[in-house]
Amino acid sequence: MTKNISFILLLAVTVTCICSCSGSQEQYPDESVNTEQSVLSHKDDSFNQSDSTFVETQTQIMYLSFEECLSAATHVVSATYKGEYETHGKYKDLVFTVAEQYKGTELPDEFHLRVCDQTVIVADTDIGYSTSADNYEPGETYLLVLEKHVSVYYPYDLYLAYGNIKITNDTAVMYDGSSITAHSNKLDNSSLNDVINYVENYVKNSVPPAAQGFEFIRNSTLDHVVDNTTIIAVVTPTEYIGGSENNNTSRYLCTVNEVIKGSINDTDIKIIFVTGSVEPDCEYVVMLEEMGTYYILSSQNSVHDAVNTGIIQQVKDMVSVD
């Protein structure tokens, strides 16, 4: 049930994310592969288009009670809003600093909450509301119920807020601004101390679900990436076949010139790159993982220009040492 919720329409993922604003999943371009469903998007099909851009301004999500949001969350934290960091089409990444953490793996001191300007409809209810970066006040501290999203194509890990929940010194609301208590099974007081105590007790000892997305090699030193990557090949991008403007990704049909590690059975494969990282008809050493009918980068240091750099022999030497 929780995997269908999406609170930020983001990639069409494919690699990363597009379309729905509330907690969700990412989907790879190949409909048969949805390992990395992203931030966003239970209705994500942008990677099935020749060039994906965000055109939707309304999304529908499944109703979850306050307790169901707490259970589905990968993280529950009190955090102070610092301001906007980056804008990606309809999406904005907001910077928060952690004040106190109640659930989840340890967060960095600063993390990025992704929001989009859109209208949200809660299925099978009469609840509707709008989301916007303007709904957060700089300097205000919020108790946030979050879902973590990871992708090698994100510059940083992203978080989405479940249920439009906003709990501050003055208010404890969710969805369309109605009281938390209206959506809770047991909480009957919306004062900050009571809500925090309730949340702490509810999530105590709970095992958080895994982050949405596909984990990648975090240590980007070349020798570590080579050691831990499944497939390493020399390829030439020959044809641009689409991409996601929102997610800064481009897909290319590539000719496989040589396989250094692992195995590739086809002479031409489809690879998802960071936009601008490759040029057609140039040769590259790439470190990859297979994902359905596509190949994705194994790390953020997985694409190397092979022209006059000696990288091919360097990587071969690293592989032979293993």
Side-chain angles (χ1 to χ4, degrees):
M1 174 170 64
T2 61
K3 298 303 181 189
N4 292 327
I5 289 236
S6 165
F7 247 23
I8 289 188
L9 292 163
L10 186 72
L11 168 155
V13 156
T14 212
V15 108
T16 250
C17 123
I18 176 171
C19 183
S20 156
C21 244
S22 179
S24 95
Q25 304 175 24
E26 255 175 54
Q27 189 164 7
Y28 277 89
D30 177 27
E31 303 86 358
S32 66
V33 181
N34 55 8
T35 304
E36 178 174 2
Q37 187 151 358
S38 168
V39 161
L40 325 199
S41 172
H42 56 274
K43 15 169 139 167
D44 184 359
D45 62 356
S46 65
F47 260 91
N48 297 321
Q49 302 172 12
S50 59
D51 211 351
S52 73
T53 55
F54 180 86
V55 297
E56 197 170 358
T57 58
Q58 182 180 93
T59 190
Q60 180 171 286
I61 65 171
M62 182 183 297
Y63 176 83
L64 294 183
S65 69
F66 181 49
E67 287 78 12
E68 287 174 321
C69 289
L70 292 174
S71 296
T74 60
H75 295 78
V76 180
V77 300
S78 289
T80 303
Y81 176 40
K82 294 186 64 177
E84 295 181 13
Y85 181 70
E86 288 184 347
T87 298
H88 308 268
K90 293 286 185 178
Y91 306 100
K92 292 183 179 180
D93 292 342
L94 312 183
V95 177
F96 283 78
T97 58
V98 176
E100 190 164 357
Q101 185 165 342
Y102 308 106
K103 180 184 180 182
T105 56
E106 185 176 358
L107 284 169
D109 291 337
E110 292 187 350
F111 67 91
H112 298 85
L113 176 70
R114 180 157 287 188
V115 300
C116 63
D117 296 331
Q118 67 174 355
T119 300
V120 179
I121 303 299
V122 182
D124 301 321
T125 74
D126 59 358
I127 299 172
Y129 57 93
S130 297
T131 60
S132 169
D134 295 336
N135 293 345
Y136 295 92
E137 293 293 332
E140 181 75 77
T141 298
Y142 298 85
L143 190 150
L144 299 173
V145 181
L146 304 171
E147 182 177 68
K148 182 179 180 179
H149 289 254
V150 301
S151 169
V152 68
Y153 300 93
Y154 296 157
Y156 34 71
D157 293 336
L158 293 173
Y159 296 83
L160 300 182
Y162 270 111
N164 204 34
I165 295 170
K166 296 184 179 69
I167 300 170
T168 68
N169 285 318
D170 301 318
T171 186
V173 299
M174 63 187 294
Y175 291 129
D176 55 356
S178 54
S179 173
I180 289 284
T181 58
H183 304 282
S184 172
N185 300 326
K186 296 181 179 179
L187 183 63
D188 56 10
N189 193 317
S190 61
S191 71
L192 181 62
N193 287 338
D194 287 340
V195 172
I196 289 179
N197 288 337
Y198 181 75
V199 168
E200 284 186 299
N201 289 328
Y202 192 87
V203 303
K204 183 172 57 179
N205 301 324
S206 64
V207 178
Q212 291 292 327
F214 187 80
E215 192 54 74
F216 56 95
I217 300 170
R218 298 281 181 160
N219 182 340
S220 290
T221 59
L222 183 60
D223 57 346
H224 186 82
V225 175
V226 169
D227 286 345
N228 291 277
T229 292
T230 303
I231 298 168
I232 302 176
V234 182
V235 304
T236 300
T238 57
E239 181 184 354
Y240 173 77
I241 54 175
S244 169
E245 181 180 350
N246 287 323
N247 294 287
N248 197 34
T249 55
S250 297
R251 293 171 291 148
Y252 280 89
L253 184 66
C254 299
T255 297
V256 179
N257 304 323
E258 183 179 2
V259 178
I260 299 174
K261 181 180 179 182
S263 62
I264 298 176
N265 297 323
D266 301 310
T267 56
D268 293 289
I269 61 175
K270 293 177 284 187
I271 302 176
I272 301 171
F273 293 98
V274 175
T275 296
S277 62
V278 298
E279 295 290 338
D281 303 321
C282 294
E283 194 171 56
Y284 299 89
V285 175
V286 291
M287 291 83 172
L288 306 169
E289 299 295 336
E290 188 172 4
M291 193 62 60
T293 60
Y294 279 80
Y295 289 80
I296 64 171
L297 306 183
S298 63
S299 77
Q300 294 179 340
N301 186 30
S302 287
V303 179
H304 298 267
D305 189 343
V307 178
N308 301 322
T309 63
I311 188 67
I312 295 176
Q313 189 59 51
Q314 183 181 357
V315 171
K316 285 182 177 180
D317 291 343
M318 290 180 175
V319 171
S320 65
V321 169
D322 295 340

